[in-house]
Amino acid sequence: MDKNQRAMMLRESWPLLFTQEPLKPMKTGIMQDLITDAEKRKIDFPGLEIGKALKRYTRTIPYQLALASDSQRYDIHGQPDGVVTEEQRQMALTWLKNNPNYPQDAEKSDVAKKAR
């Protein structure tokens, strides 16, 4: 399965979490929830592939911006489940500042201001 197929599987299998804009920070432990749900619903999406998809998804600028600016985390149904801690918010901001693809003038954006 390639990266595009994995991304499509996330969106199709859990649309309330993965197709909403803006992106939603996921609850801690979401990977096991996704694996369990995939097995329960007999979705052909092995745990290893789910892990690869999540790794790619969470290492994107939009997801890190969501962590930096949203205080709520969400479950597989798109419902609130946990919070983003201040430490996690700061880690996301650091990740963004160190990412060469994140425009440096983005610090002036509304999202970046909200994240502080």
Side-chain angles (χ1 to χ4, degrees):
M1 186 177 294
D2 72 22
K3 63 184 178 183
N4 293 323
Q5 289 171 311
R6 287 190 293 269
M8 183 182 70
M9 288 291 294
L10 285 178
R11 288 190 304 272
E12 289 178 355
S13 301
W14 300 282
L16 296 175
L17 180 60
F18 292 105
T19 58
Q20 301 269 328
E21 291 291 332
L23 299 188
K24 295 178 176 182
M26 295 176 285
K27 72 171 260 200
T28 302
I30 195 81
M31 185 169 144
Q32 189 56 55
D33 292 353
L34 295 172
I35 292 169
T36 300
D37 190 58
E39 290 171 354
K40 179 181 170 185
R41 296 192 301 147
K42 299 189 184 334
I43 298 170
D44 186 22
F45 198 7
L48 179 63
E49 297 297 326
I50 290 173
K52 288 178 182 179
L54 286 177
K55 183 176 181 179
R56 184 166 187 256
Y57 184 84
T58 59
R59 292 183 179 181
T60 63
I61 289 171
Y63 186 78
Q64 293 297 315
L65 282 169
L67 279 175
S69 62
D70 195 339
S71 61
Q72 189 67 58
R73 287 184 174 274
Y74 298 86
D75 67 12
I76 64 173
H77 305 291
Q79 297 300 306
D81 191 344
V83 297
V84 177
T85 67
E86 185 56 33
E87 178 182 2
Q88 293 162 341
R89 184 182 331 285
Q90 290 304 316
M91 287 174 58
L93 287 170
T94 299
W95 185 93
L96 288 164
K97 286 182 182 182
N98 291 328
N99 187 309
N101 296 319
Y102 183 63
Q104 296 307 309
D105 62 347
E107 288 301 313
K108 298 173 187 157
S109 73
D110 289 338
V111 174
K113 288 178 185 174
K114 182 180 175 185
R116 291 181 186 180

